[in-house]
Amino acid sequence: MPDMLQMLTSGDFSDLIIKCRGQERRVHRVIVCGQSSVFKTMYSGPFVEASSGVVDLSDHSVADVDRLLVFLYTGDYSDTRTESADAAASSNTDKSDEAMSSLPANDSSHDSKVDEDGPSAPLRNARMYAMGDRYDIAPLKQMAKSRFSVAILTTGLFSGVWPELLEYVYTSTPDSDRGLRDPMQELCGLGAEYLLTNQAIVNLMLEVPTIALDMCKGLLALAKSQHDLKRERIEALQNKLGESRCKLELAAAQNSQRLRMAESKLDKYQALVGWLRDCGDCGRAWKMAPSGSNPLIFAGCLDCQTARGSGRI
């Protein structure tokens, strides 16, 4: 195990204590306070925590606090379900999972609902995002946001956890924080029918109107996207039509040129045969008479064998 994880799990040389629902985590001021301005203020300002060296984070689950600490020590955390009662038996080889499994298990005497690790990966990442916002840990927010966007697409859209997920996303951070609200807004637009037919979500919208507002914005963005897509397709068809028209015009011009050439040839042939008149001797029409390999070398009346002029063209 890396030294940083060893420091966290062993608590050696720790100088701060974080309590959570009957559990204690012995941590190091330079690591925790060095990455969070909130913890720095707690432990250095005129607060009880500064004098006691203890902070109580019991308004979070033990699993979430452990994820927070693992992130502060390693720069990573696991968003897989980690019931602390099962953590000690975890066989996951991921570093963050290893650190979680090495921390003390929950005291089973506490309320199981309090220590519940969340029903889904999106909700667990949403909790980490909220902790990053609350304790001013920007890298944690960024990682949680990225994992939230992936988890919400891979765990099944519009599942039974959505009422709880929507409520948490829209109540755990200020309205001005769009980190998780923007991906939820887009999905709310796609799943408007599901949202409006789920009574629990409808009731939630009445309590948290910003959810309904974001659903409307999502619907508007979806309609605009579909309109833009249709416009692009129409423009593509118009371009193809224009190309086809150009090809037809070019073919028409070529055909017109061929027609003019054919008409010119016809005029020449008509001029050639124009001198063929009725025979002056027998009164019949002159006809072509072959002479050698060229049928136009000699012309004369085939009926009375009278040659025209000299008998040559």
Side-chain angles (χ1 to χ4, degrees):
M1 179 181 292
D3 291 343
M4 294 298 291
L5 293 181
Q6 181 64 40
M7 290 178 62
L8 172 62
T9 56
S10 68
D12 292 342
F13 309 110
S14 61
D15 50 4
L16 297 175
I17 295 176
I18 292 180
K19 290 186 175 182
C20 181
R21 307 190 184 282
Q23 299 293 309
E24 288 188 359
R25 301 292 184 254
R26 296 184 176 277
V27 298
H28 305 81
R29 186 187 302 264
V30 66
I31 293 176
V32 174
C33 298
Q35 299 179 73
S36 168
S37 62
V38 175
F39 283 124
K40 181 179 179 180
T41 301
M42 283 184 182
Y43 286 117
S44 61
F47 301 101
V48 175
E49 293 83 0
S51 57
S52 65
V54 178
V55 62
D56 192 343
L57 301 183
S58 293
D59 51 346
H60 303 290
S61 71
V62 175
D64 286 343
V65 171
D66 286 345
R67 286 192 180 91
L68 172 65
L69 295 178
V70 169
F71 178 85
L72 291 175
Y73 277 79
T74 68
D76 194 10
Y77 71 88
S78 171
D79 62 358
T80 57
R81 186 176 180 85
T82 308
E83 293 286 0
S84 295
D86 301 328
S90 173
S91 60
N92 197 320
T93 57
D94 181 80
K95 292 180 180 179
S96 54
D97 285 332
E98 182 182 356
M100 292 283 289
S101 66
S102 301
L103 294 172
N106 279 346
D107 185 347
S108 58
S109 63
H110 290 281
D111 186 353
S112 60
K113 292 184 178 179
V114 169
D115 291 325
E116 187 178 0
D117 194 22
S120 67
L123 184 57
R124 289 190 285 272
N125 284 296
R127 288 176 174 176
M128 296 310 297
Y129 183 90
M131 293 184 78
D133 179 72
R134 179 171 180 175
Y135 299 113
D136 191 24
I137 309 173
L140 176 58
K141 287 185 67 177
Q142 185 62 36
M143 178 175 289
K145 174 184 175 182
S146 177
R147 292 187 175 181
F148 175 85
S149 299
V150 173
I152 201 171
L153 295 176
T154 56
T155 56
L157 292 176
F158 314 124
S159 59
V161 302
W162 262 66
E164 183 179 2
L165 181 61
L166 278 169
E167 181 177 12
Y168 191 84
V169 167
Y170 281 88
T171 59
S172 61
T173 56
D175 290 342
S176 58
D177 191 324
R178 302 297 304 178
L180 302 187
R181 285 173 170 79
D182 282 341
M184 290 297 286
Q185 174 181 303
E186 182 177 355
L187 292 175
C188 284
L190 291 171
E193 182 177 358
Y194 163 78
L195 300 182
L196 295 175
T197 55
N198 187 306
Q199 191 58 47
I201 294 179
V202 172
N203 294 337
L204 180 60
M205 288 181 180
L206 296 176
E207 299 176 7
V208 188
T210 51
I211 299 177
L213 178 61
D214 271 3
M215 182 190 70
C216 293
K217 290 180 178 179
L219 280 170
L220 180 61
L222 179 61
K224 184 178 183 301
S225 175
Q226 293 176 340
H227 177 269
D228 292 342
L229 180 60
K230 290 180 180 179
R231 183 177 61 185
E232 291 175 0
R233 290 178 177 175
I234 291 174
E235 290 176 351
L237 290 174
Q238 288 176 338
N239 291 335
K240 290 183 178 179
L241 181 61
E243 293 175 0
S244 299
R245 183 181 292 112
C246 290
K247 291 179 180 179
L248 289 174
E249 292 176 351
L250 178 60
Q254 292 174 343
N255 290 335
S256 178
Q257 184 179 6
R258 293 191 185 101
L259 180 60
R260 287 194 298 271
M261 293 175 63
E263 290 175 344
S264 177
K265 290 181 180 180
L266 180 60
D267 290 342
K268 291 180 180 179
Y269 288 131
Q270 287 177 343
L272 178 64
V273 299
W275 55 270
L276 295 177
R277 299 182 177 85
D278 294 341
C279 178
D281 292 337
C282 65
R284 296 182 179 87
W286 286 81
K287 297 178 181 179
M288 293 295 192
S291 175
S293 62
N294 192 333
L296 299 180
I297 295 300
F298 180 82
C301 182
L302 298 182
D303 294 320
C304 63
Q305 302 300 315
T306 302
R308 177 166 182 164
S310 63
R312 294 184 180 278
I313 297 175

Tab-separated table of all heavy atoms in Angstrom, residues 60-84:
chain	number	residue	atom	x	y	z
A	60	HIS	N	-22.889	13.822	7.452
A	60	HIS	CA	-22.592	12.995	6.282
A	60	HIS	C	-22.584	11.535	6.705
A	60	HIS	O	-22.476	11.216	7.885
A	60	HIS	CB	-21.222	13.345	5.700
A	60	HIS	CG	-21.066	14.782	5.312
A	60	HIS	ND1	-21.714	15.337	4.242
A	60	HIS	CD2	-20.319	15.779	5.865
A	60	HIS	CE1	-21.384	16.613	4.137
A	60	HIS	NE2	-20.538	16.906	5.114
A	61	SER	N	-22.686	10.637	5.745
A	61	SER	CA	-22.530	9.212	6.061
A	61	SER	C	-21.054	8.911	6.278
A	61	SER	O	-20.177	9.630	5.782
A	61	SER	CB	-23.077	8.351	4.926
A	61	SER	OG	-22.230	8.425	3.792
A	62	VAL	N	-20.773	7.853	7.007
A	62	VAL	CA	-19.393	7.457	7.248
A	62	VAL	C	-18.694	7.140	5.926
A	62	VAL	O	-17.533	7.501	5.713
A	62	VAL	CB	-19.334	6.243	8.197
A	62	VAL	CG1	-17.896	5.752	8.349
A	62	VAL	CG2	-19.914	6.602	9.551
A	63	ALA	N	-19.416	6.467	5.016
A	63	ALA	CA	-18.830	6.112	3.717
A	63	ALA	C	-18.426	7.354	2.939
A	63	ALA	O	-17.365	7.396	2.304
A	63	ALA	CB	-19.806	5.272	2.912
A	64	ASP	N	-19.253	8.398	2.989
A	64	ASP	CA	-18.926	9.631	2.260
A	64	ASP	C	-17.719	10.335	2.874
A	64	ASP	O	-16.868	10.872	2.168
A	64	ASP	CB	-20.133	10.576	2.253
A	64	ASP	CG	-21.218	10.108	1.291
A	64	ASP	OD1	-20.915	9.268	0.424
A	64	ASP	OD2	-22.372	10.585	1.419
A	65	VAL	N	-17.656	10.346	4.204
A	65	VAL	CA	-16.495	10.951	4.865
A	65	VAL	C	-15.230	10.178	4.514
A	65	VAL	O	-14.174	10.774	4.249
A	65	VAL	CB	-16.698	10.995	6.389
A	65	VAL	CG1	-15.411	11.414	7.103
A	65	VAL	CG2	-17.832	11.961	6.748
A	66	ASP	N	-15.329	8.857	4.477
A	66	ASP	CA	-14.166	8.047	4.113
A	66	ASP	C	-13.734	8.339	2.668
A	66	ASP	O	-12.542	8.413	2.370
A	66	ASP	CB	-14.478	6.562	4.280
A	66	ASP	CG	-14.504	6.149	5.748
A	66	ASP	OD1	-14.011	6.932	6.586
A	66	ASP	OD2	-15.022	5.056	6.054
A	67	ARG	N	-14.711	8.483	1.781
A	67	ARG	CA	-14.368	8.825	0.387
A	67	ARG	C	-13.662	10.181	0.337
A	67	ARG	O	-12.700	10.369	-0.412
A	67	ARG	CB	-15.623	8.861	-0.481
A	67	ARG	CG	-16.189	7.500	-0.810
A	67	ARG	CD	-17.257	7.593	-1.901
A	67	ARG	NE	-17.788	6.267	-2.186
A	67	ARG	CZ	-18.842	5.725	-1.588
A	67	ARG	NH1	-19.481	6.427	-0.653
A	67	ARG	NH2	-19.251	4.523	-1.887
A	68	LEU	N	-14.160	11.126	1.103
A	68	LEU	CA	-13.542	12.444	1.139
A	68	LEU	C	-12.091	12.348	1.596
A	68	LEU	O	-11.186	12.935	0.970
A	68	LEU	CB	-14.335	13.357	2.074
A	68	LEU	CG	-13.704	14.727	2.382
A	68	LEU	CD1	-13.626	15.577	1.126
A	68	LEU	CD2	-14.508	15.444	3.466
A	69	LEU	N	-11.851	11.609	2.646
A	69	LEU	CA	-10.490	11.495	3.176
A	69	LEU	C	-9.578	10.748	2.203
A	69	LEU	O	-8.416	11.143	2.007
A	69	LEU	CB	-10.521	10.787	4.526
A	69	LEU	CG	-11.245	11.549	5.647
A	69	LEU	CD1	-11.259	10.727	6.928
A	69	LEU	CD2	-10.602	12.913	5.889
A	70	VAL	N	-10.094	9.687	1.614
A	70	VAL	CA	-9.289	8.951	0.628
A	70	VAL	C	-8.898	9.871	-0.523
A	70	VAL	O	-7.758	9.829	-1.003
A	70	VAL	CB	-10.057	7.716	0.114
A	70	VAL	CG1	-9.350	7.111	-1.098
A	70	VAL	CG2	-10.178	6.679	1.215
A	71	PHE	N	-9.828	10.712	-0.951
A	71	PHE	CA	-9.501	11.653	-2.025
A	71	PHE	C	-8.423	12.639	-1.592
A	71	PHE	O	-7.496	12.934	-2.351
A	71	PHE	CB	-10.748	12.415	-2.474
A	71	PHE	CG	-10.462	13.425	-3.553
A	71	PHE	CD1	-10.425	13.047	-4.885
A	71	PHE	CD2	-10.197	14.756	-3.235
A	71	PHE	CE1	-10.132	13.970	-5.883
A	71	PHE	CE2	-9.909	15.680	-4.223
A	71	PHE	CZ	-9.869	15.286	-5.543
A	72	LEU	N	-8.530	13.169	-0.386
A	72	LEU	CA	-7.547	14.137	0.090
A	72	LEU	C	-6.150	13.522	0.182
A	72	LEU	O	-5.145	14.197	-0.024
A	72	LEU	CB	-7.973	14.680	1.455
A	72	LEU	CG	-9.218	15.581	1.455
A	72	LEU	CD1	-9.597	15.960	2.887
A	72	LEU	CD2	-9.003	16.827	0.616
A	73	TYR	N	-6.099	12.225	0.455
A	73	TYR	CA	-4.794	11.558	0.595
A	73	TYR	C	-4.267	11.000	-0.730
A	73	TYR	O	-3.053	10.868	-0.897
A	73	TYR	CB	-4.891	10.435	1.633
A	73	TYR	CG	-4.743	10.917	3.054
A	73	TYR	CD1	-5.797	11.517	3.724
A	73	TYR	CD2	-3.528	10.792	3.730
A	73	TYR	CE1	-5.667	11.976	5.032
A	73	TYR	CE2	-3.380	11.246	5.046
A	73	TYR	CZ	-4.459	11.839	5.690
A	73	TYR	OH	-4.306	12.292	6.980
A	74	THR	N	-5.169	10.651	-1.652
A	74	THR	CA	-4.716	9.972	-2.882
A	74	THR	C	-5.086	10.687	-4.172
A	74	THR	O	-4.572	10.342	-5.230
A	74	THR	CB	-5.309	8.552	-2.952
A	74	THR	OG1	-6.739	8.641	-3.149
A	74	THR	CG2	-5.023	7.775	-1.677
A	75	GLY	N	-6.013	11.649	-4.089
A	75	GLY	CA	-6.471	12.311	-5.318
A	75	GLY	C	-7.482	11.487	-6.079
A	75	GLY	O	-7.764	11.761	-7.250
A	76	ASP	N	-8.066	10.468	-5.453
A	76	ASP	CA	-9.037	9.601	-6.120
A	76	ASP	C	-10.002	9.060	-5.072
A	76	ASP	O	-9.739	9.133	-3.866
A	76	ASP	CB	-8.318	8.453	-6.828
A	76	ASP	CG	-9.215	7.711	-7.811
A	76	ASP	OD1	-10.328	8.204	-8.070
A	76	ASP	OD2	-8.799	6.648	-8.310
A	77	TYR	N	-11.136	8.546	-5.532
A	77	TYR	CA	-12.067	7.877	-4.636
A	77	TYR	C	-12.860	6.851	-5.437
A	77	TYR	O	-12.926	6.927	-6.664
A	77	TYR	CB	-13.013	8.875	-3.950
A	77	TYR	CG	-14.048	9.487	-4.860
A	77	TYR	CD1	-15.278	8.867	-5.069
A	77	TYR	CD2	-13.804	10.695	-5.518
A	77	TYR	CE1	-16.227	9.427	-5.905
A	77	TYR	CE2	-14.751	11.257	-6.356
A	77	TYR	CZ	-15.965	10.625	-6.545
A	77	TYR	OH	-16.905	11.182	-7.382
A	78	SER	N	-13.446	5.900	-4.748
A	78	SER	CA	-14.258	4.874	-5.402
A	78	SER	C	-15.731	5.223	-5.248
A	78	SER	O	-16.188	5.569	-4.164
A	78	SER	CB	-13.984	3.509	-4.770
A	78	SER	OG	-14.902	2.546	-5.247
A	79	ASP	N	-16.475	5.126	-6.377
A	79	ASP	CA	-17.910	5.394	-6.299
A	79	ASP	C	-18.730	4.113	-6.296
A	79	ASP	O	-19.939	4.133	-6.497
A	79	ASP	CB	-18.364	6.307	-7.432
A	79	ASP	CG	-18.138	5.694	-8.806
A	79	ASP	OD1	-17.597	4.584	-8.889
A	79	ASP	OD2	-18.515	6.345	-9.808
A	80	THR	N	-18.049	2.979	-6.071
A	80	THR	CA	-18.793	1.734	-5.916
A	80	THR	C	-19.409	1.681	-4.534
A	80	THR	O	-18.955	2.343	-3.601
A	80	THR	CB	-17.869	0.517	-6.102
A	80	THR	OG1	-16.784	0.597	-5.168
A	80	THR	CG2	-17.306	0.483	-7.516
A	81	ARG	N	-20.461	0.884	-4.408
A	81	ARG	CA	-21.163	0.807	-3.123
A	81	ARG	C	-20.256	0.194	-2.074
A	81	ARG	O	-19.680	-0.870	-2.273
A	81	ARG	CB	-22.438	-0.030	-3.263
A	81	ARG	CG	-23.291	-0.045	-2.009
A	81	ARG	CD	-24.575	-0.815	-2.259
A	81	ARG	NE	-25.404	-0.834	-1.064
A	81	ARG	CZ	-26.257	0.135	-0.726
A	81	ARG	NH1	-26.377	1.185	-1.511
A	81	ARG	NH2	-26.982	0.059	0.377
A	82	THR	N	-20.114	0.861	-0.942
A	82	THR	CA	-19.199	0.396	0.106
A	82	THR	C	-19.883	0.505	1.450
A	82	THR	O	-19.748	1.496	2.155
A	82	THR	CB	-17.902	1.236	0.121
A	82	THR	OG1	-17.362	1.268	-1.189
A	82	THR	CG2	-16.887	0.636	1.081
A	83	GLU	N	-20.705	-0.482	1.772
A	83	GLU	CA	-21.258	-0.529	3.122
A	83	GLU	C	-20.100	-0.813	4.075
A	83	GLU	O	-19.380	-1.796	3.918
A	83	GLU	CB	-22.310	-1.641	3.236
A	83	GLU	CG	-23.571	-1.394	2.425
A	83	GLU	CD	-24.454	-0.327	3.036
A	83	GLU	OE1	-24.075	0.223	4.095
A	83	GLU	OE2	-25.513	-0.040	2.463
A	84	SER	N	-19.898	0.049	5.031
A	84	SER	CA	-18.733	-0.079	5.898
A	84	SER	C	-18.720	-1.410	6.643
A	84	SER	O	-17.667	-1.914	7.012
A	84	SER	CB	-18.691	1.074	6.901
A	84	SER	OG	-18.493	2.285	6.204
